Amino acid sequence: MKKNRKNLALLLLAASLLAGCAGQSNSQSSQSSQAKSEKKAESKASSKSAAKSAASSAVSSAKSSSSQASSKSTASSSQRADANRIGTLTSQLRGKLPGMLLPAADGLGQGSSNLNIRYTSSSSQNVVYYSVGNSPLALNDSRIASEKPYAVLTENKNVADASSLINYQEPKTGLPAVKIAGNVTGTEEGAAGSTYLQFNQGQWSFVVRASNVQGQKPLPTAQKLLALYQQYGLPYTTAKASVQVDVGESLGSLNTVITWAKGSSVYQLKAHSTETAFKMLKSLS
């Protein structure tokens, strides 16, 4: 009897252990299943988030491309309008001043859309004034006279002695030498409170004047002048020609003066900016 009870107790213990193992296994299986379900949900959420991010990025990229294209289109349209302004006015000028050399480029960095031009003409001289106003005006509009010109182009016609207007300077000797750049050397001299730095290239003489009173130095301007000459060149001249530059640029100052000859005409361009002058002369025809 005791033996049977002992066996029964062992059987009950074994059954309890088996039930515990089965419960633990079921619990682990349930946990594993839940973990898999959570991972699957996370994966789906991650995929949706990535898809939304990619879609957002694509939309942003499309908007950016559209904006850039619009900006380029606007800039291109503006450039065409600026080019048309000088082109239209120059075309009108050619009808008024036949045979005169005129620039196809205004030489400006900005303000081309408000470019204005007026001119005077006589049997001996044509003068063209280039300015930038608050709005574009018709050729020779009376209001342009109140605007400060940034450049003035003059043609003196039927000139018997071109040298009297051109003021070409022969190379100087016996003066201190100054290296401009490369193998180009000039000479320097002082007079009347100014320092003059001169160099010559071909038929052209270049003179830069600096004010001693204002503490100006001619060399940096002379170096810029030489660089512009090497980049843009100057018009063909039938006589010795000259470039004169006063140090310092300001609107209306017209500190750059370039004078040359073509046949019996002597041309002169005055400009507030030396670079503007070279750009205009590069497009001369």
Side-chain angles (χ1 to χ4, degrees), residues 22-139:
Q24 185 176 3
S25 176
N26 289 336
S27 175
Q28 289 177 347
S29 176
S30 175
Q31 291 175 357
S32 176
S33 176
Q34 184 178 356
K36 287 181 180 180
S37 178
E38 289 176 353
K39 284 184 179 180
K40 187 179 290 186
E42 288 176 359
S43 178
K44 286 182 179 181
S46 178
S47 296
K48 287 182 179 179
S49 177
K52 285 183 179 179
S53 178
S56 176
S57 178
V59 170
S60 177
S61 178
K63 286 183 178 178
S64 177
S65 297
S66 176
S67 175
Q68 289 176 359
S70 176
S71 177
K72 287 180 180 179
S73 176
T74 300
S76 178
S77 297
S78 176
Q79 289 171 355
R80 286 196 298 272
D82 293 349
N84 289 339
R85 178 73 182 155
I86 180 66
T88 298
L89 291 173
T90 300
S91 178
Q92 294 172 8
L93 267 179
R94 293 194 190 284
K96 305 292 185 182
L97 308 173
M100 181 179 180
L101 293 174
L102 295 169
D106 57 33
L108 295 170
Q110 58 183 2
S112 296
S113 59
N114 286 336
L115 170 71
N116 290 319
I117 297 177
R118 67 182 180 91
Y119 71 93
T120 61
S121 181
S122 68
S123 60
S124 62
Q125 189 181 74
N126 295 325
V127 185
V128 182
Y129 302 84
Y130 297 82
S131 60
V132 175
N134 295 321
S135 61
L137 300 172
L139 178 68

Side-chain angles (χ1 to χ4, degrees), residues 194-277:
S194 298
T195 299
Y196 295 84
L197 179 54
Q198 176 186 332
F199 63 95
N200 292 60
Q201 295 284 286
Q203 293 199 89
W204 291 85
S205 67
F206 298 80
V207 178
V208 175
R209 185 188 75 84
S211 169
N212 296 336
V213 176
Q214 297 181 40
Q216 297 173 340
K217 301 296 180 183
L219 182 57
T221 299
Q223 291 171 330
K224 177 184 176 182
L225 180 57
L226 176 61
L228 289 170
Y229 170 67
Q230 292 173 339
Q231 180 179 357
Y232 294 102
L234 284 167
Y236 170 76
T237 178
T238 54
K240 291 181 177 180
S242 68
V243 179
Q244 296 172 289
V245 179
D246 285 354
V247 175
E249 297 180 353
S250 60
L251 182 62
S253 63
L254 304 179
N255 282 347
T256 295
V257 181
I258 301 174
T259 316
W260 74 101
K262 183 185 179 185
S264 62
S265 290
V266 172
Y267 283 86
Q268 184 178 82
L269 178 66
K270 294 182 178 181
H272 82 281
S273 161
T274 305
E275 185 170 2
T276 292

Side-chain angles (χ1 to χ4, degrees), residues 119-201:
Y119 71 93
T120 61
S121 181
S122 68
S123 60
S124 62
Q125 189 181 74
N126 295 325
V127 185
V128 182
Y129 302 84
Y130 297 82
S131 60
V132 175
N134 295 321
S135 61
L137 300 172
L139 178 68
N140 246 24
D141 188 294
S142 60
R143 290 170 289 180
I144 301 175
S146 63
E147 298 175 355
K148 284 186 177 181
Y150 70 84
V152 179
L153 178 62
T154 301
E155 177 192 18
N156 295 287
K157 298 180 280 187
N158 304 313
V159 178
D161 180 16
S163 62
S164 63
L165 296 175
I166 292 177
N167 196 30
Y168 171 84
Q169 300 292 309
E170 294 288 348
K172 300 290 195 302
T173 57
L175 293 172
V178 178
K179 182 177 180 179
I180 309 298
N183 60 353
V184 179
T185 302
T187 56
E188 189 175 87
E189 64 178 326
S194 298
T195 299
Y196 295 84
L197 179 54
Q198 176 186 332
F199 63 95
N200 292 60
Q201 295 284 286

